[in-house]
Amino acid sequence: MAENGSSMVKLSIGLRKSRFTRGVVLIVTIVASASISRVTCAKSPEKITSVYTSLTTKNKCKLASLDDEGTEPGYARGSLASCPGIGGNSVHVEDADGRMTLYVIAPNKNKFNLNYPRVVLLGFSELGDKAEWRVTTRAGKLVPLGLIVRVTSTNGEVPKNKIESYLAVAKITPSEICVTDRIPARRTTANTEARRAADTATTKKCLAPIRY
C-alpha cells in the first residue's frame, strides 16, 4: 500500500509539472505572437520618389506679366511666369532685374517666396529649366515633401569655371515653405545630397539670409 501511495504522489506531482510546463509554453507562445504582431504592424518607411515639372515658358509655363518697371519696387525690369506644380501646389517664376526666384502657391492659395537672391545666391542669377519634387503617396494622392531647383550665377565678369551654382532645397509643409539647404552643384554627389536633404527637409529650419 505504501508503494501504491508513493506512486500516486509521484503521478500527482508529474501531472502538476506537466500542467505547469504546458502553461509556461502557452504564455511564451502568446508573448511571442504579440511581439511578432507588433513588428508586423509597425509602420514601414514611406517610399519617396521624384517628379519633375517645368520652369520655362518653352514648356508648360505661361507668361503672367512683363513689366518694364519690374515686379518689385526698385527693380528695372521684371517678368512673372505661372508654372504647374505637384499635389495642388503651383509655382510662379519671377525674374526681377536679372535676379530669379520662385513662389510656391499652396493649395489654400497661400503664397511663399523662396527668396533665392537672399538665401541661396547673391547677385544676378538664373534658374534651371525644371523643378524636382520629392514626393510620397498618402491615401492614393501625391504629397510633396521637398523641392529642388538649380540656381546659377549669371555674373558675366566671372569666368565660367568659377561660376557659382547651387541646388536649392526647400521644404513643403501646410504651414511653411522655405529653403532649408543649398548644395554646391559642382560636387559629384550633389544630386544625391540634395535628394537626401529634401527627403528630411520638413524637419529642418529655414535658412537665414546670406550676409553681405
Side-chain angles (χ1 to χ4, degrees):
M1 291 291 293
E3 289 181 0
N4 290 339
S6 176
S7 297
M8 291 178 66
V9 170
K10 289 180 180 179
L11 177 61
S12 177
I13 292 174
L15 287 172
R16 285 199 294 272
K17 286 184 177 180
S18 177
R19 292 193 189 108
F20 175 76
T21 301
R22 287 198 300 272
V24 170
V25 171
L26 179 61
I27 292 172
V28 170
T29 302
I30 292 172
V31 172
S33 298
S35 299
I36 292 172
S37 296
R38 283 197 295 271
V39 171
T40 303
C41 295
K43 189 176 180 180
S44 57
E46 290 183 314
K47 183 179 179 180
I48 302 175
T49 58
S50 290
V51 177
Y52 298 89
T53 59
S54 174
L55 295 178
T56 73
T57 54
K58 297 177 182 178
N59 184 18
K60 302 293 185 182
C61 298
K62 296 181 179 179
L63 188 63
S65 66
L66 183 61
D67 186 358
D68 288 338
E69 295 182 358
T71 53
E72 287 190 3
Y75 289 108
R77 182 181 176 83
S79 66
L80 191 69
S82 178
C83 304
I86 295 296
N89 298 279
S90 60
V91 174
H92 285 174
V93 180
E94 181 182 73
D95 183 349
D97 192 27
R99 296 168 176 85
M100 298 187 72
T101 191
L102 282 189
Y103 290 86
V104 178
I105 317 301
N108 60 7
K109 304 306 179 183
N110 284 341
K111 190 174 184 179
F112 297 89
N113 184 0
L114 297 188
N115 272 322
Y116 292 153
R118 293 184 174 88
V119 300
V120 178
L121 188 61
L122 299 175
F124 301 114
S125 61
E126 64 181 10
L127 307 183
D129 289 344
K130 60 185 178 181
E132 179 178 359
W133 303 77
R134 295 294 285 172
V135 303
T136 188
T137 302
R138 295 172 185 165
K141 296 181 179 180
L142 286 180
V143 178
L145 305 175
L147 175 64
I148 305 170
V149 175
R150 182 184 290 267
V151 183
T152 303
S153 170
T154 55
N155 188 341
E157 298 178 0
V158 177
K160 287 186 177 180
N161 62 341
K162 292 186 178 180
I163 288 178
E164 290 185 280
S165 185
Y166 293 92
L167 298 181
V169 179
K171 67 178 178 180
I172 310 291
T173 72
S175 60
E176 192 172 42
I177 300 176
C178 63
V179 175
T180 58
D181 296 90
R182 53 197 289 267
I183 312 295
R186 65 178 177 273
R187 294 179 185 170
T188 56
T189 58
N191 289 332
T192 300
E193 290 180 51
R195 288 170 187 144
R196 188 181 299 121
D199 292 352
T200 57
T202 57
T203 64
K204 299 178 182 179
K205 294 181 179 180
C206 303
L207 284 184
I210 301 171
R211 292 185 179 182
Y212 289 89

